[in-house]
Amino acid sequence: MFEEAPDMQAGEPLFPIGTQEDANDKIGRVLVVACGALAREIIAIRDLNQLDHIDLTCLPAQLHNTPEKIPDEVRRVILQNRDIYSDILVAYGDCGTGGHLDKVLEETGTRRIEGAHCYAFFAGLETFDQFEEDQLGSFYLTDFLARHFQTMVIEPLGLDWHPHLRDMYFAHYTRVLYLAQTDDPALEEAARRAAERLQLPLEIERTGYGLLAPFLTKEPAMPSR
């Protein structure tokens, strides 16, 4: 079973791809460049659908704290591997890059999953828009964020040392909405603890893998050299 590496929280990439790969070994193979927060889900989809032609490399989930760095990091991985793989998919939303990630994809002839962020593509784009219309001020959790709430939310915001900042950061939020990829009682309990920490009511929506599964199971594109 997949487990996130302990040093992932410190910003280490998962599943690095060597730069000296033999291109002949990668003919017909697809590389997925993903946020580390999606590693578990992508591996589950790959195994469930027997997508043996897919390799995965993940950039650190902590890049979301500095989203302006995401486009250059994605570009670096694409350029290192585009002459090796038959196709490269990018499992990132825009993720706060202000359209700069899409510019990188246009430059490199690569495509990404639809949506502004993982909340949208897990829920489905129309469903997510409906969540936003139904109730403003939702703080979203995924399985990954429920699992790593302390290291991805509490510590970066300094709430352990300055709990009064909770009112500054979350005064205008009205609920925690947990978009659950799996049916896991332990993660539901983690989501409840997160909501209690933020002093907000919890709601749970079971989304499964949303748009991520059809994105990964599409037929590989023909290589463009």
Side-chain angles (χ1 to χ4, degrees):
M1 181 177 293
F2 170 77
E3 294 183 4
E4 287 93 351
D7 56 2
M8 178 174 142
Q9 308 311 321
E12 295 297 326
L14 296 176
F15 319 118
I17 299 294
T19 56
Q20 303 300 319
E21 298 280 358
D22 185 343
N24 290 328
D25 293 337
K26 302 301 181 183
I27 293 174
R29 298 193 66 77
V30 174
L31 177 65
V32 177
V33 182
C35 172
L38 301 176
R40 185 184 294 260
E41 288 72 27
I42 291 172
I43 289 174
I45 293 168
R46 183 180 66 182
D47 293 349
L48 181 64
N49 292 278
Q50 298 182 329
L51 302 175
D52 298 330
H53 63 286
I54 284 181
D55 291 335
L56 172 65
T57 190
C58 291
L59 295 171
Q62 291 284 10
L63 277 175
H64 283 287
N65 295 331
T66 53
E68 70 277 5
K69 296 180 181 179
I70 292 174
D72 284 343
E73 289 298 301
V74 171
R75 178 191 286 109
R76 176 181 58 79
V77 178
I78 291 172
L79 293 181
Q80 284 179 345
N81 293 282
R82 67 178 178 178
D83 292 330
I84 299 173
Y85 283 87
S86 293
D87 197 12
I88 295 179
L89 302 177
V90 175
Y92 270 94
D94 177 74
C95 295
T97 69
H100 290 289
L101 178 57
D102 284 335
K103 291 180 180 177
V104 168
L105 302 184
E106 184 177 353
E107 292 168 10
T108 58
T110 315
R111 66 190 189 278
R112 69 169 174 88
I113 190 169
E114 290 184 272
H117 36 60
C118 61
Y119 314 127
F121 63 68
F122 277 140
L125 306 186
E126 292 183 3
T127 300
F128 180 80
D129 287 344
Q130 191 62 53
F131 288 155
E132 291 285 89
E133 289 181 15
D134 289 345
Q135 187 169 336
L136 295 175
S138 297
F139 183 87
Y140 294 95
L141 292 177
T142 61
D143 281 9
F144 177 86
L145 283 176
R147 188 178 288 112
H148 297 291
F149 186 74
Q150 177 69 23
T151 54
M152 295 299 295
V153 179
I154 295 299
E155 291 177 9
L157 294 179
L159 294 177
D160 275 338
W161 303 277
H162 304 287
H164 62 282
L165 292 177
R166 179 267 165 206
D167 293 336
M168 178 186 300
Y169 290 131
F170 297 99
H172 300 294
Y173 284 90
T174 57
R175 64 176 174 175
V176 171
L177 182 53
Y178 171 32
L179 307 177
Q181 283 70 72
T182 56
D183 184 4
D184 187 331
L187 289 179
E188 286 189 25
E189 180 58 29
R192 283 193 189 88
R193 291 196 301 270
E196 290 170 2
R197 189 76 181 268
L198 301 183
Q199 301 172 37
L200 294 170
L202 174 68
E203 297 180 27
I204 299 175
E205 292 283 342
R206 301 195 183 283
T207 66
Y209 301 129
L211 301 180
L212 192 57
F215 175 69
L216 296 175
T217 53
K218 286 180 183 177
E219 289 295 321
M222 293 299 293
S224 57
R225 296 284 191 259

